[in-house]
Every structure is written in structure tokens, then in C-alpha cells.
Amino acid sequence: MKTIVVFASGNGSNFAAMANAFQPSHNIRIALLVCDQPGAPVLQLADKYHVPTLVVDYRNFKNKAAAEAHIVAHIPPCNLVVLAGFMRIIGPTLLNAYPNRIINLHPALLPSFPGRTGIADAYNYGVKVTGVTVHYVDAGIDSGQIIAQAPVPVLPDMTLNDLETTIHETEHVLLPQTVAMLLATLDA
Ligand code: GAR
């Protein structure tokens, strides 16, 4: 059995995609959801899928290092940390605790359109192809080594809303696939 810990800040549709993909028979278990936003919809999804949660309100800590030390102290043993819509830059405390074991989902084809608004930035730029990236997390912003990408064409009549829907659908396939692929390459 391989275990992952998921970090999310908002709606949690990618958390749900993994919870659906990784049924108990799949040999992958989500051991914990870490959420930095009290009241975020992803917390209700975690309850629905019986995944324990750790809510960490960074405002209650003196700095990022203290919040991350609290997280590290509460994470159970796990094979991989998956950032799925976690809207914070990861600091050295977490990076050093999980070297090469933290991956992130990004809604554009990196290195194009990093940051918090990748879908709209690509759409407004006028690209004809954008997509989804899963990459290792390093100290930069969406700059770590790329693991997997999937393209999404921007069709002439697409609205930004249409593109967001297609990007999310693509993420819901690529992220569970990539996590399963990475876990399969790890020793027990
Ligand atoms: C996803 O589109 C993910 O790629 C994006 O946040 C969304 C979370 O959706 N992440 C970033 O933009 C990180 N820079 P979800 O909460 O429904 O999974």
C-alpha cells in the first residue's frame, strides 16, 4: 500500500478526482488532506471520502516556517506529497522534510504562464494550445522539473469559462495517472 498526502486550498475537484481514482482496491491511500483555508469546500469533500484533515491557518503562526513545521509534525509517513490547488509557495521547512517527494499541479504548459492565474493568462495572451503540467516542487514558483504534461487546444469559439472547464477535466485525468505512475516506480 502506498500513501499520499494532499494539500489543497479551495474547491478540491482534483482532490476528489484522486479520491475517486484511488479506491482501497487500488493500493493507494490518501492519508491526510492539509488545507490552509478554514471553511474551504475541499474540507467537506474530505469528510465525504473519509479522509482525515489538518487545517492550518497560517495567520495563527509567527511565520511560514512555523506553519510548515506544524504541518511536518502532523503528516503521517507517506510516499508522496501532492499539491492540488494549494495556493502557497512551499518553503524550505517542507522542501527539506520531503526532498524530491513534493509534486504540484499547474493549469498551463510550464514554463509558460506560471503563478496563480495560469488559465486566464494563457487565454488572454491568445495562445492556441495550453494545457496542464505536473512537476516537482522546488524553491521557485512553478519552476521544478516537469513530470507530465497534457495539451489542451484553445478553439476559436471558446470562452475563458469553456477553457477552464476543459483544463479541469484534463487535470482530473492527468493528476491521478501521474501520481499512480510515480508511486509505481517507488520501492515499497
Ligand atoms: C487547479 O486548476 C490547479 O491546477 C490550480 O488550482 C486549481 C485547483 O482546483 N493550481 C494553481 O493554479 C497553482 N499555481 P481544485 O481546487 O478544484 O482542485
Side-chain angles (χ1 to χ4, degrees):
M1 175 69 76
K2 301 279 170 50
T3 59
I4 65 171
V5 169
V6 178
F7 285 39
S9 300
N11 287 333
S13 69
N14 286 284
F15 168 82
M18 287 187 284
N20 280 321
F22 305 148
Q23 295 297 320
S25 58
H26 201 286
N27 256 1
I28 298 173
R29 192 169 61 88
I30 304 178
L32 181 70
L33 169 77
V34 177
C35 179
D36 63 331
Q37 300 297 327
V42 68
L43 291 166
Q44 283 166 24
L45 286 172
D47 283 349
K48 177 178 160 195
Y49 287 99
H50 308 294
V51 173
T53 57
L54 175 68
V55 179
V56 182
D57 188 339
Y58 278 50
R59 291 171 299 189
N60 296 337
F61 295 84
K62 78 171 187 289
N63 53 32
K64 180 182 290 194
E68 290 192 346
H70 178 81
I71 293 172
V72 169
H74 287 83
I75 288 184
C78 71
N79 299 103
L80 201 62
V81 172
V82 181
L83 310 185
F86 188 67
M87 295 304 190
R88 282 181 188 277
I89 296 167
I90 300 297
T93 306
L94 267 165
L95 285 173
N96 293 336
Y98 297 96
N100 294 317
R101 287 289 165 100
I102 307 179
I103 67 171
N104 180 48
L105 172 68
H106 185 73
L109 290 179
L110 294 173
S112 294
F113 309 113
R116 299 170 71 99
T117 53
I119 305 174
D121 292 347
Y123 184 85
N124 292 330
Y125 193 92
V127 297
K128 302 303 174 204
V129 180
T130 180
V132 173
T133 302
V134 181
H135 64 97
Y136 286 106
V137 174
D138 65 10
I141 298 176
D142 299 326
S143 58
Q145 187 196 346
I146 290 170
I147 304 163
Q149 291 186 308
V152 172
V154 186
L155 304 175
D157 55 352
M158 259 185 171
T159 63
L160 175 57
N161 201 36
D162 295 335
L163 180 60
E164 283 169 351
T165 302
T166 311
I167 290 281
H168 292 314
E169 287 168 357
T170 306
E171 290 181 325
H172 299 163
V173 176
L174 186 73
L175 184 61
Q177 252 177 19
T178 307
V179 169
M181 183 269 292
L182 282 176
L183 290 174
T185 67
L186 295 175
D187 293 334

